[in-house]
Amino acid sequence: MRSVWPLCLLLLLLAGCAAEVRTSSQAQLRLSPQASRITDPAELGVLSPVLYPQPPGATQFPELESADLVDDELEDIATTGEAEALVETDDAVAANPDDEEVLDPETLEDNAALQAADAAPPEEEGETVFIDEKTFDFPIVDNEKVRYFVDYFSGPIKKNVRNWLERSTRYLPMMREVFAEQGLPRDLVYLAMIESGFNNKAFSRARASGPWQFMERTGRAYGLSNDWWRDERRDPEKATRAAARHLADLYRMFDGDWYLAIAAYNAGAGKIRRAIERYGTRDFWELTHGSYLREETKHYVPKMLAGLLIAKHPEYYGFTDLNFQEPLAYEQAEIPSVTDIEVIARLAESDYEIIKQLNPELKRWSTPPGVESYQVRLPVGSGALFTERYAQLPENQRANFVYHKVKKGDTPGALARRYNVRTDDILRFNKLRSTRSLRIGQNLLIPLNPEAGKMSLADLRESLRDDAPAAKSGKGGTKHYTVRSGDSLWKIATRFHVTEKQLRSWNGLGSKSGLKVGQKLVVAAGSGKGQPAAAAKSTRQAAPKAAQADLKKVVYQVRAGDSLWTIGRQFDVDTQQICDWNKLPKNPVLRPGQRLTLLVKSTHRG
């Protein structure tokens, strides 16, 4: 027993020596031209190398709504990274947000760069020196790990970081203001660059979403809803306010240590607390020496510091001639009932994609059903015009469907009678196999147009728009259609369930005759001079078979970058038809190598 004491004393002496060497050694900085050497951390007003005060001019944290979350509830709350209690396996398949869209190439590239899979920083951080620079209101240090990521960001992934810096100015003014309101360091907003590259569409393999990469449970705890219609984690302003409150809670939990708070934002507060208990230290850099924390969390703080250094002095690190984006600006209008995005765009004299960009939380084609006072964002200068026009628009013209939640006793037949549509339309529109497929609580989309089951969703919307030329009935039942931009004889024939040959015959078109915008076509011959009633009936019966004869079957293999839209454009078919032919869900995720069966015109050579 006595032989143990000398060994214990020796270990204590060695530990004390190591601590003395660590806190006393300082090195000249080379990261920033304005950086200067600090010989005593006390000059920064710190209580320990990793315990920092509020930024100059900032007030103490106000009473936050999230303060109701007790420490125990915060234990397992995480955003990205480990999120042990929230991710079932480490091999979670990369997925899209509810599979509602294929991530665009830019977002996929951002995701790959943010993962930094090829990064190999040194295991030891070496000397850690505090940077005294008035341009920062967040504590900055220099060590070998920080320098490694400065070189990594300005080297292997410089192109991506350049995009992030250019994109950042769209959101920085708003983010800094929100963080200042919460008494947080304004420079802390650059954590969003490490999380998402300021990309609202960023979506991790752990299913974290949005610019601040909130997990489902964390977002819900801070008031961010996510359902089939919207994901508020993708809204930059709502997510920033939630992130500010979450970071303030973590800062409070870890007694004013920003490095531990940031690490907890990545790994979860419970993980960092257990690491502190296991290793007996509150120094973030000491915690990274063990094997308990994952590599992602160990790299998280130095990556944030490196990103902040580059963002504050981009030209010094080789980022010149940056094309910064204009700050986000918009007007808001209150919408009392579900409204199609196309309708919003039309009333605001804007574009569908612009409205989607201003409202990134919207995952579908309309505002969420059941929300009585939805705040929609509009381009600057269009708010008054939109409000005036919207007030004059009948409610039944605001959306192209009715949203119905199945109750006890509901049947497709009863719903069809209630909404004046056909039972088959309800089944087809919701991809139900039979009338017995309804479940209590199930959400159904009831098409307003009885023909919705026979046409694509895009055609349904077009037919419901008050400025869309529809087929008009003339004498004897003859119907006419006014040609629109983008129309082809094939599309018109498909829409009205006739053949191209019939259209050419009824309208005196030759085999090489083209269509002109504004041209009026006969699309259904009635019992007048053009065609007797019996002949018209015979034509309608024969039309499907004739149309089938003009089609050929093509098996298409999906390639990287393909989408339903690009495939439909290539083969001149509607995206909804592709879904119907291949029994695909709405907005499916296409994967390279997947085979799709298409029915295209026999003359098509795509």
Side-chain angles (χ1 to χ4, degrees):
M1 195 63 183
R2 292 179 180 178
S3 61
V4 177
W5 285 107
L7 179 59
C8 293
L9 289 173
L10 178 61
L11 291 175
L12 289 173
L13 288 172
L14 289 174
C17 291
E20 183 178 355
V21 170
R22 181 176 181 80
T23 56
S24 63
S25 60
Q26 304 292 332
Q28 184 66 35
L29 302 180
R30 68 175 183 85
L31 284 177
S32 169
Q34 290 82 13
S36 61
R37 182 178 178 183
I38 302 299
T39 57
D40 185 0
E43 294 182 27
L44 286 181
V46 298
L47 301 179
S48 72
V50 287
L51 188 61
Y52 305 99
Q54 290 288 317
T59 59
Q60 291 297 318
F61 296 131
E63 289 298 322
L64 305 176
E65 179 184 344
S66 57
D68 294 335
L69 290 167
V70 297
D71 290 353
D72 290 342
E73 290 177 313
L74 279 173
E75 283 290 330
D76 292 322
I77 287 183
T79 50
T80 57
E82 299 165 24
E84 296 171 303
L86 308 179
V87 183
E88 294 181 358
T89 67
D90 296 337
D91 299 322
V93 179
N96 303 318
D98 291 333
D99 292 340
E100 92 277 10
E101 62 184 353
V102 177
L103 296 182
D104 59 272
E106 184 179 38
T107 301
L108 291 172
E109 190 174 344
D110 282 344
N111 286 352
L114 289 164
Q115 291 176 10
D118 59 340
E123 294 185 5
E124 297 290 334
E125 71 277 3
E127 292 181 318
T128 295
V129 182
F130 291 86
I131 299 178
D132 180 21
E133 189 174 341
K134 299 186 183 302
T135 58
F136 299 103
D137 69 354
F138 185 83
I140 299 290
V141 301
D142 170 33
N143 59 36
E144 292 183 15
K145 287 187 176 180
V146 175
R147 287 194 293 271
Y148 173 87
F149 280 108
V150 167
D151 294 338
Y152 181 77
F153 289 159
S154 56
I157 62 169
K158 183 175 182 179
K159 175 185 174 183
N160 303 95
V161 176
R162 183 182 185 87
N163 291 337
W164 303 344
L165 292 172
E166 292 179 340
R167 191 187 297 147
S168 69
T169 49
R170 180 170 172 81
Y171 306 105
L172 285 178
M174 174 272 294
M175 289 181 170
R176 284 175 173 147
E177 182 179 348
V178 169
F179 273 40
E181 289 174 359
Q182 293 285 13
L184 303 177
R186 290 172 174 83
D187 288 342
L188 189 56
V189 300
Y190 286 103
L191 191 66
M193 185 168 77
I194 305 305
E195 284 287 348
S196 66
F198 294 101
N199 189 334
N200 297 323
K201 294 182 180 180
F203 194 77
S204 77
R205 51 197 301 273
R207 295 188 174 273
S209 178
W212 290 96
Q213 289 292 277
F214 274 100
M215 298 288 289
E216 173 83 25
R217 182 182 174 191
T218 320
R220 193 165 56 247
Y222 286 91
L224 300 177
S225 64
N226 178 35
D227 53 34
W228 198 76
W229 295 98
R230 61 177 168 174
D231 184 353
E232 291 184 327
R233 298 176 298 171
R234 289 167 41 164
D235 182 277
E237 184 171 344
K238 293 178 181 178
T240 297
R241 294 190 180 280
R245 292 163 52 211
H246 185 33
L247 286 165
D249 283 341
L250 293 171
Y251 182 85
R252 169 182 56 81
M253 174 178 284
F254 289 100
D255 301 322
D257 190 317
W258 272 124
Y259 288 7
L260 293 179
I262 290 175
Y265 188 89
N266 175 261
K271 184 77 172 182
I272 300 304
R273 275 191 164 180
R274 290 189 290 272
I276 292 172
E277 294 172 357
R278 175 172 296 200
Y279 296 114
T281 178
R282 295 178 55 83
D283 186 327
F284 168 78
W285 304 105
E286 291 290 345
L287 295 178
T288 64
H289 296 165
S291 60
Y292 182 63
L293 296 180
R294 296 186 186 179
E295 295 301 306
E296 179 179 335
T297 303
K298 293 179 181 180
H299 302 164
Y300 193 68
V301 171
K303 283 170 66 177
M304 191 274 179
L305 297 177
L308 177 54
L309 285 165
I310 291 174
K312 283 303 189 76
H313 304 291
E315 293 187 358
Y316 180 78
Y317 297 104
F319 293 89
T320 58
D321 300 322
L322 293 173
N323 185 22
F324 291 114
Q325 295 184 15
E326 291 293 324
L328 178 65
Y330 55 83
E331 295 181 2
Q332 284 187 304
E334 186 175 287
I335 293 181
S337 62
V338 57
T339 304
D340 194 281
I341 295 176
E342 289 179 350
V343 173
I344 295 172
R346 177 162 52 85
L347 296 181
E349 293 188 354
S350 183
D351 180 78
Y352 180 92
E353 290 302 324
I354 292 177
I355 301 300
K356 283 283 285 184
Q357 289 172 9
L358 289 174
N359 299 272
E361 71 174 49
L362 296 179
K363 297 159 68 173
R364 309 295 169 183
W365 61 89
S366 74
T367 61
V371 179
E372 295 182 354
S373 300
Y374 186 81
Q375 296 291 329
V376 66
R377 293 172 183 165
L378 305 168
V380 173
S382 64
L385 176 66
F386 171 84
T387 302
E388 179 183 355
R389 290 180 171 179
Y390 190 86
Q392 300 172 1
L393 185 69
E395 186 172 353
N396 61 2
Q397 294 182 24
R398 295 172 182 172
N400 300 331
F401 60 87
V402 174
Y403 180 76
H404 181 88
K405 191 169 187 177
V406 177
K407 305 180 183 64
K408 184 177 182 181
D410 280 346
T411 65
L415 294 176
R417 290 188 294 273
R418 175 177 176 181
Y419 293 105
N420 194 27
V421 296
R422 296 179 302 184
T423 302
D424 287 346
D425 294 333
I426 296 176
L427 297 177
R428 185 180 295 108
F429 204 73
N430 292 277
K431 294 182 172 58
L432 300 175
R433 295 183 178 181
S434 71
T435 57
R436 299 180 180 179
S437 301
L438 295 188
R439 301 186 308 275
I440 294 177
Q442 181 179 6
N443 294 320
L444 296 180
L445 293 178
I446 311 295
L448 297 180
N449 190 322
E451 295 299 313
K454 292 184 177 180
M455 62 179 70
S456 69
L457 182 59
D459 285 339
L460 169 62
R461 290 173 178 163
E462 286 294 321
S463 69
L464 290 171
R465 289 177 55 180
D466 56 13
D467 64 342
K472 297 182 179 180
S473 297
K475 293 182 179 181
T478 301
K479 292 184 179 181
H480 295 84
Y481 173 78
T482 303
V483 176
R484 289 171 60 87
S485 176
D487 277 343
S488 68
L489 209 61
W490 162 255
K491 289 183 179 179
I492 297 172
T494 302
R495 177 171 184 175
F496 293 101
H497 312 292
V498 296
T499 67
E500 290 182 74
K501 184 177 180 180
Q502 287 173 313
L503 289 179
R504 293 187 187 280
S505 174
W506 296 338
N507 295 278
L509 300 175
S511 59
K512 296 184 179 179
S513 298
L515 299 180
K516 296 180 180 180
V517 175
Q519 181 180 359
K520 290 187 177 181
L521 298 179
V522 175
V523 294
S527 57
K529 295 180 181 180
Q531 188 180 32
K537 180 178 180 181
S538 174
T539 298
R540 287 195 299 269
Q541 292 174 343
K545 293 184 178 179
Q548 292 287 343
D550 290 339
L551 300 177
K552 66 177 180 180
K553 179 180 177 181
V554 172
V555 178
Y556 178 79
Q557 186 167 344
V558 177
R559 296 181 292 234
D562 275 344
S563 68
L564 284 183
W565 183 83
T566 59
I567 296 172
R569 187 177 182 184
Q570 178 180 347
F571 291 95
D572 196 17
V573 296
D574 191 271
T575 56
Q576 185 60 45
Q577 289 177 314
I578 299 176
C579 291
D580 292 342
W581 292 332
N582 295 274
K583 297 182 180 180
L584 300 176
K586 178 177 173 56
N587 297 315
V589 179
L590 300 183
R591 292 179 172 81
Q594 182 178 355
R595 294 180 179 273
L596 298 177
T597 298
L598 311 175
L599 296 178
V600 304
K601 292 183 292 185
S602 58
T603 57
H604 184 81
R605 299 184 181 279

